[in-house]
Amino acid sequence: QVRLVESGGGLVQAGGSLRLSCFASGGTSIFYAMGWFRQPPGTEREFVAAIAYTGGSPDYADSVKGRFTIARDNAKNTVYLQMNSLKPEDTAVYYCAARQSSSAGYQYWGQGAQVTVSS
């Protein structure tokens, strides 16, 4: 059974940094790519970043380009999201997700990690 577990969320002042981690277990060999999404208060969930297991350039939402970096450690079955120059509008619940192919949707989701950026 596939399971994704996020960690590393918290409270930070604007301009600060946080790193989120997502540990995947239970059959990660089926993954094509993993990504990060977020859901700000009162809004819908939105894409943040994604990275393929087999290489290629990561993909980022315009709102985080140049500030956030997604990276993976296949040996540790872990994907990271390094968040720098955080802004209050980055406040959200951040979710880790995985999908099995480039044409499939994200089928596996973590429980979410709260990130709060104070002004």
Side-chain angles (χ1 to χ4, degrees):
Q1 182 178 358
V2 173
R3 188 175 181 215
L4 306 178
V5 179
E6 301 98 335
S7 61
L11 173 64
V12 64
Q13 288 188 330
S17 299
L18 279 175
R19 188 178 78 158
L20 299 178
S21 300
C22 174
F23 174 70
S25 61
T28 58
S29 61
I30 63 174
F31 290 170
Y32 165 77
M34 294 185 71
W36 288 95
F37 292 75
R38 67 186 182 186
Q39 187 166 15
T43 68
E44 295 184 352
R45 189 160 53 190
E46 62 187 27
F47 170 78
V48 175
I51 188 167
Y53 257 59
T54 55
S57 300
D59 190 23
Y60 296 96
D62 288 342
S63 58
V64 306
K65 280 181 181 177
R67 300 188 298 122
F68 290 13
T69 302
I70 188 171
R72 69 183 188 280
D73 185 333
N74 290 355
K76 295 182 178 180
N77 289 331
T78 301
V79 172
Y80 305 96
L81 185 68
Q82 178 66 43
M83 304 183 292
N84 299 329
S85 302
L86 283 162
K87 305 174 182 180
E89 51 264 43
D90 294 318
T91 294
V93 178
Y94 283 71
Y95 296 91
C96 173
R99 57 178 177 163
Q100 294 181 244
S101 72
S102 60
S103 59
Y106 284 88
Q107 301 142 296
Y108 305 100
W109 294 86
Q111 81 288 354
Q114 177 69 47
V115 172
T116 302
V117 184
S118 62
S119 57

